[in-house]
Each structure stands twice: as structure tokens, then as C-alpha cells.
Amino acid sequence: MEAYKHKVQYYETDKMGITHHSNYIRWMEEARVYFLEQIGWGYNKMEEEGIGSPVVAVDCKYKKPTTFADEVFIQVKVENCKGVKLKLLYEMTDAQGEICCIGHSEHCFVGSDGKFVRFDKEYPEFYKKLLEFA
């Protein structure tokens, strides 16, 4: 799976010239959208199917700072995939391959009625695709 590439923008840095910690969470979302598009289940498709995927938890461990114009490569992996819950792992590395940040996000799946969707049963092709990246 191709890693998502993000170039650090000037506005994403603080007064010290270091990327502000909150931006890593945004990059995780960008990488997640890219990952889902690559496996054929982008947010547009999920929404057309009536599926929502709210974030229920997120965390980051910062290992090495990034600065303006750095390229950050974000690899997304499925850490855990169950019937209504998905946990993703994000490994962010710099151009030299050094880890900058490791993050996780957890998601549930809900229908347009707000009820949980068991995507393993209701969308087995989506579920199988996710398991390929576990």
C-alpha cells in the first residue's frame, strides 16, 4: 500500500518553527481518507451506502519533530478490525525513514438512522478488504 505524503506547511508550525502537535491528528485523517480511497471504499462511497464512520478515540506518540517543508510519509495499517469497530495504526516517517510519530484512531460504523452497522455482515467485501491490511 502506498504511503500518504504530506509536506509540512508554514502555517502548521509554531513560533519555534516546529510542527504544532495538533496537525498530526489532521494528517492522520488525510492519510485515512487516502487509504480508504486506495482500497475502493472512500468516504464518498461509504456515504452513498449510508455508512458513517465517526472517530471514537485517537492518540499520538511524538518521536521526532518536523519543521516547515519537511515531507512526512504516513503508512496506514489496520490494527484491529471487528464487526462494528476499526482501529488504525499510523506510522509517520520523515524523508530519511526515521519515525516522527505513531498514532492510532478508532472508528465505529453507523447507518443513516444512527444505529451501528456490522460491516462484517452487511458489507462483507469492505470488511474483507480491510482485513487484507491487518
Side-chain angles (χ1 to χ4, degrees):
M1 176 67 58
E2 183 179 322
Y4 175 75
K5 181 173 84 171
H6 179 86
K7 188 171 183 175
V8 178
Q9 301 300 306
Y10 185 76
Y11 70 86
E12 295 175 314
T13 62
D14 60 20
K15 190 174 180 179
M16 297 178 292
I18 305 292
T19 303
H20 190 270
H21 66 277
S22 65
N23 289 296
Y24 293 86
I25 304 293
R26 292 178 190 169
W27 302 347
M28 288 166 52
E29 181 173 353
E30 292 172 13
R32 180 172 62 254
V33 168
Y34 184 71
F35 168 78
L36 291 170
E37 287 171 354
Q38 284 186 306
I39 68 168
W41 277 88
Y43 276 97
N44 286 342
K45 180 173 182 168
M46 284 196 302
E47 289 176 0
E48 286 170 8
E49 294 284 339
I51 304 170
S53 181
V55 175
V56 296
V58 66
D59 69 69
C60 282
K61 297 217 186 281
Y62 306 100
K63 304 290 187 179
K64 179 183 176 197
T66 59
T67 59
F68 171 63
D70 285 351
E71 289 183 334
V72 179
F73 299 87
I74 307 169
Q75 190 68 51
V76 179
K77 297 177 184 171
V78 175
E79 189 164 274
N80 197 342
C81 186
K82 295 188 178 173
V84 294
K85 204 172 202 183
L86 172 66
K87 184 174 184 180
L88 298 173
L89 166 68
Y90 306 84
E91 294 180 346
M92 301 179 210
T93 56
D94 62 15
Q96 293 74 40
E98 292 185 51
I99 294 177
C100 304
C101 182
I102 295 175
H104 298 91
S105 65
E106 292 182 34
H107 309 263
C108 66
F109 294 88
V110 294
S112 56
D113 58 2
K115 294 182 180 176
F116 288 113
V117 171
R118 289 202 54 95
F119 65 104
D120 58 337
K121 301 210 185 306
E122 296 176 52
Y123 298 93
E125 66 282 355
F126 179 33
Y127 182 68
K128 287 177 189 172
K129 199 67 169 165
L130 287 169
L131 289 178
E132 290 178 24
F133 299 95

